[in-house]
Amino acid sequence: MRPLFHLLRLWLIQLRYAATRELAFRANFFVWIIVELSWFVLQLAFVDVVYHHVDSIAGWSRPQMIVLVATNQLIQQIFTAFLMPGLMKLPESVRDGKLDFVLLKPAPPQFLISTSHLEIGPVANALIAAVVVGYALQQLHVTPDLPSLFLYCLLILAGLLTHYALLLTLVSLTFWIVQAESVLLGYYSIFQVARIPREATTGWFRFLFTFALPLLLVANIPAATLLHGFQLGPLLLFLLTCLTAALFASLFFQLGLRRYQSASS
C-alpha cells in the first residue's frame, strides 16, 4: 500500500505544477472550453436531427441516445484533461532526449509520462457532460440508486483505462517509428466509435471494436447500466477487455522502452 500512496502523492504534486503551468495561459483554458463545447453541442444537434425522422435507433430512444453521447463526452473530456496530454508528449520526448530525465527519476516511467501534463479546460466540459446526462435521465423519469451510480462511476474509470491503453499502445510505436504523430491521427478518428450504439453494429465491425479495440464498450456499458441497471454479462466482458488491453499496452510500452537509446549515448 505504501508505494500506492507514494504514487498518489507524486501525482498530486505533478497535478499542482501542471495546473499552475496551464493557468499561466488562461486564454487557452477558455478557448478549449468553447471549442470542445461547440463540438459537443453539434453532436447533440445531430442526435436531435436524426430523431426528428425516427423514434429509436437499435432500441435507443432520443433521451437514451443523449445519455450515451454525453457519457462518451464525459469520458473523453476526463481522459483529455488528465492522461492524454502526457502521452501525446512521448514521441517528442523520445526524439529530443527528454525521456532521459524521466528515466533518471525514482518512479515508474509509465506513470511519470502519463501524468506529466494537464489540461484544465476539459474538466469544465466534463462537468457539463455530467449535467446533460442528469437532464436526459430526468426526461426518462429514471432516478438511479446509489449502487447504480457507484457502478456507473466505476465503469467510467474502466472507460478511461480503455482509452488510456489504446493511446499508450499507439504512442509506444514511437520507439520503432520516427514520426509516430502520423499514427496518432488515426486515434482521433476511431475515438468517435465509442458514441455509436453497440446494438446498431454487426459483423466484423462489432467484433473488432468489442474485443480487439473495445471502444464500443467504453460508453455503451456505463450508459446501459445507468439506464437498465446491473447486467452481469456485459459488465464482465467490459472489465475483461479493459484489463486485457491495459496489460498489453503496459507490456508493449516496456518492450519499447528497452529499445530506447539515450540521447547522450
Side-chain angles (χ1 to χ4, degrees), residues 51 54-62 64:
Y51 278 92
V54 296
D55 294 326
S56 68
I57 298 175
W60 291 73
S61 66
R62 178 182 173 276
Q64 290 174 330

Side-chain angles (χ1 to χ4, degrees), residues 185-204:
L185 292 176
Y187 180 75
Y188 290 102
S189 299
I190 64 172
F191 209 102
Q192 305 306 321
V193 171
R195 62 193 172 113
I196 301 174
R198 183 165 170 257
E199 293 80 3
T201 61
T202 57
W204 66 267

Side-chain angles (χ1 to χ4, degrees), residues 152-213:
Y152 179 74
C153 293
L154 178 64
L155 293 172
I156 291 293
L157 293 177
L160 290 172
L161 185 58
T162 302
H163 274 302
Y164 173 77
L166 296 177
L167 187 56
L168 178 62
T169 301
L170 286 178
V171 297
S172 296
L173 290 173
T174 193
F175 294 112
W176 289 271
I177 302 173
V178 177
Q179 293 294 334
E181 285 86 349
S182 57
V183 178
L184 296 179
L185 292 176
Y187 180 75
Y188 290 102
S189 299
I190 64 172
F191 209 102
Q192 305 306 321
V193 171
R195 62 193 172 113
I196 301 174
R198 183 165 170 257
E199 293 80 3
T201 61
T202 57
W204 66 267
F205 185 92
R206 181 168 182 168
F207 181 86
L208 175 65
F209 288 104
T210 297
F211 298 100
L213 304 171

Side-chain angles (χ1 to χ4, degrees), residues 127-141:
L127 294 175
I128 293 172
V131 170
V132 172
V133 169
Y135 172 74
L137 289 175
Q138 187 179 36
Q139 284 191 315
L140 290 165
H141 305 290

Side-chain angles (χ1 to χ4, degrees), residues 212-241:
L213 304 171
L215 286 171
L216 277 177
L217 305 178
V218 166
N220 274 261
I221 303 303
T225 299
L226 204 58
L227 293 168
H228 308 298
F230 177 78
Q231 296 173 307
L232 182 60
L235 177 64
L236 291 178
L237 173 64
F238 185 25
L239 294 179
L240 179 61
T241 54

